[in-house]
Amino acid sequence: MSSNTDSTEVAALADQVRSARAGGRTLRIVGAGSWLTAGRPCDDSERLEIGALTGIVTYEPGDLTLTARAGTSLAEIQRVTAAEGQWLPLQPMGAQTGTLGATVATSSYGPLASAYGTPRDQVLGCEFVSGTGDMVRAGGRVVKNVAGFDLVRLVTGAWGTLGALTELTVRLRARPEVDHTVAVQLAAPDGDVATAAWRWLRESEHEPLAAELLSPSLARSLLLGSDACLLVRLAGNEPFVRAAGDDVRSLGEAMRSDVEAWHRLACSEPSASIVVRLSALPSRVGALWTRASAVAERCGGFAHATVSRGLVRCVIPDAGEDSVSLDAMRELVGSDSLIAERVPAAWWRLFAKTRPTDALSLGVRRAFDPGRIMNPGILGDSP
């Protein structure tokens, strides 16, 4: 366990940023390097490596807070906190070898966001090196520290365009007494399984930690049956979980699974795949799920949905310039709201968004990275 962030290493990062700015070079921020294919292509001259910044800085079980260096893996944080009956409920898609810094910088999350929120709800404080080479601290190491301008939320999800995260303080939660997972084969007479799941989640008094709808091919790959199913995580004390289990069985035939099913789900995406996330009002997720899951399955991929949030993720094999995959992407683009998580570089034109032109966005960028040298182009804007 580290007692302090190594100031020498952070100072070296700051020196590299200042040198790059002076020389007109651009930087790609790299931690573990496992998510470099996510996001738009980055127009960088060199890498800014933060992977060596690992380790727990401080851990206060009584306060349910932990401070770690940005290169620390999610798996390491879970290992340390498990000994105290606690956890960090950030389980984004992908292996737990991913770093805390990348998770926060990309604001990545998984099914647990329904109960615990996104990274913006979990991060209390941060330290980062800005595009001017300055070290900036924001937030604090206590839950009640809310004074000042909320830079913590500003850099969360900024994809490193305001600076390179070097240290983060997060809010922890107590692990539930009982943590059960069941897979339900939904009985929907009209075939609209997503709407059936949404109605149950809206009306049930037993709110699960997570509930994820899986398309047939994904359910089969996770050994959860041959049809679409709802993977439900029930947690709390024994009486609550028992009652919740009885309630969820009103949806259809349920079989007991295990908590590892969620880790298998997170790691289910092939390394060479196209991933897009679509959204709709939760009350309208049924139509979105029907269309999007059909497109994904037709292309040999799969889909899964957090129906309570109206989110559907489609994972399609990357067939290069294959017209079938491209046609599928064009079909999905017709959705009201779509975010590309990982697509071939040549296809980003399909997902082009208008670059920010408002005074506030431009002013924030100028304040922290006036030379636009940090991860240039990754949010669609050129340096």
Side-chain angles (χ1 to χ4, degrees), residues 294-341:
V295 171
E297 294 265 330
R298 187 174 69 237
C299 294
F302 60 81
H304 59 99
T306 308
V307 292
S308 63
R309 298 173 66 88
L311 297 178
V312 179
R313 292 180 81 250
C314 295
V315 180
I316 297 173
D318 185 356
E321 298 300 319
D322 182 80
S323 61
V324 175
S325 297
L326 185 56
D327 288 345
M329 288 300 99
R330 289 197 177 102
E331 190 173 346
L332 290 175
V333 166
S335 176
D336 291 340
S337 179
L338 180 148
I339 294 176
E341 293 187 19

Side-chain angles (χ1 to χ4, degrees), residues 32-353:
S34 56
W35 291 352
L36 292 182
T37 56
R40 291 175 183 267
C42 186
D43 184 18
D44 58 293
S45 304
E46 60 188 72
R47 290 188 172 191
L48 184 67
E49 301 277 358
I50 65 168
L53 293 176
T54 62
I56 309 300
V57 178
T58 60
Y59 175 27
E60 300 292 343
D63 293 333
L64 289 170
T65 61
L66 177 145
T67 300
R69 302 163 98 190
T72 307
S73 71
L74 297 176
E76 174 64 10
I77 293 172
Q78 303 297 17
R79 184 191 68 79
V80 170
T81 57
E84 297 290 340
Q86 299 175 357
W87 65 333
L88 173 62
L90 283 179
Q91 294 185 344
M93 304 307 294
Q96 290 286 290
T97 53
T99 66
L100 179 62
T103 301
V104 173
T106 60
S107 193
S108 297
Y109 55 87
L112 284 173
S114 297
Y116 295 109
T118 68
R120 283 190 172 89
D121 302 300
Q122 311 293 342
V123 181
L124 302 173
C126 68
E127 174 192 273
F128 64 95
V129 176
S130 73
T132 59
D134 296 316
M135 189 180 76
V136 181
R137 279 193 174 274
R141 293 182 178 177
V142 294
V143 174
K144 294 182 180 180
N145 190 329
V146 294
F149 187 60
D150 199 348
L151 285 179
V152 177
R153 287 176 176 261
L154 193 63
V155 298
T156 302
W159 284 79
T161 56
L162 302 180
L165 291 167
T166 55
E167 183 180 288
L168 293 147
T169 298
V170 292
R171 178 202 311 264
L172 304 174
R173 304 299 177 105
R175 285 183 175 272
E177 176 185 329
V178 181
D179 190 348
H180 286 178
T181 294
V182 296
V184 186
Q185 301 296 323
L186 298 167
D190 59 356
D192 190 352
V193 293
T195 299
W198 171 73
R199 285 175 177 161
W200 179 82
L201 289 166
R202 183 188 62 175
E203 298 169 0
S204 175
E205 62 184 66
H206 302 102
E207 184 177 354
L209 283 190
E212 199 76 358
L213 183 60
L214 314 181
S215 69
S217 62
L218 179 56
R220 286 193 294 271
S221 70
L222 299 180
L223 304 178
L224 297 174
S226 58
D227 299 318
C229 73
L230 186 68
L231 193 63
V232 185
R233 190 167 186 173
L234 306 170
N237 58 38
E238 184 63 43
F240 175 86
V241 172
R242 184 169 58 251
D246 292 338
D247 190 5
V248 78
R249 287 179 179 84
S250 66
L251 278 169
E253 183 179 352
M255 72 173 187
R256 179 76 177 272
S257 185
D258 55 59
V259 71
E260 290 302 314
W262 298 98
H263 298 299
R264 293 193 293 272
L265 170 62
C267 298
S268 60
E269 298 169 13
S271 56
S273 58
I274 300 165
V275 185
V276 294
R277 184 169 74 246
L278 304 97
S279 64
L281 291 173
S283 59
R284 298 179 181 177
V285 72
L288 177 61
W289 169 258
T290 298
R291 181 173 66 86
S293 62
V295 171
E297 294 265 330
R298 187 174 69 237
C299 294
F302 60 81
H304 59 99
T306 308
V307 292
S308 63
R309 298 173 66 88
L311 297 178
V312 179
R313 292 180 81 250
C314 295
V315 180
I316 297 173
D318 185 356
E321 298 300 319
D322 182 80
S323 61
V324 175
S325 297
L326 185 56
D327 288 345
M329 288 300 99
R330 289 197 177 102
E331 190 173 346
L332 290 175
V333 166
S335 176
D336 291 340
S337 179
L338 180 148
I339 294 176
E341 293 187 19
R342 185 167 62 244
V343 300
W347 291 9
W348 276 105
R349 65 185 183 279
L350 292 173
F351 309 99
K353 305 292 183 183

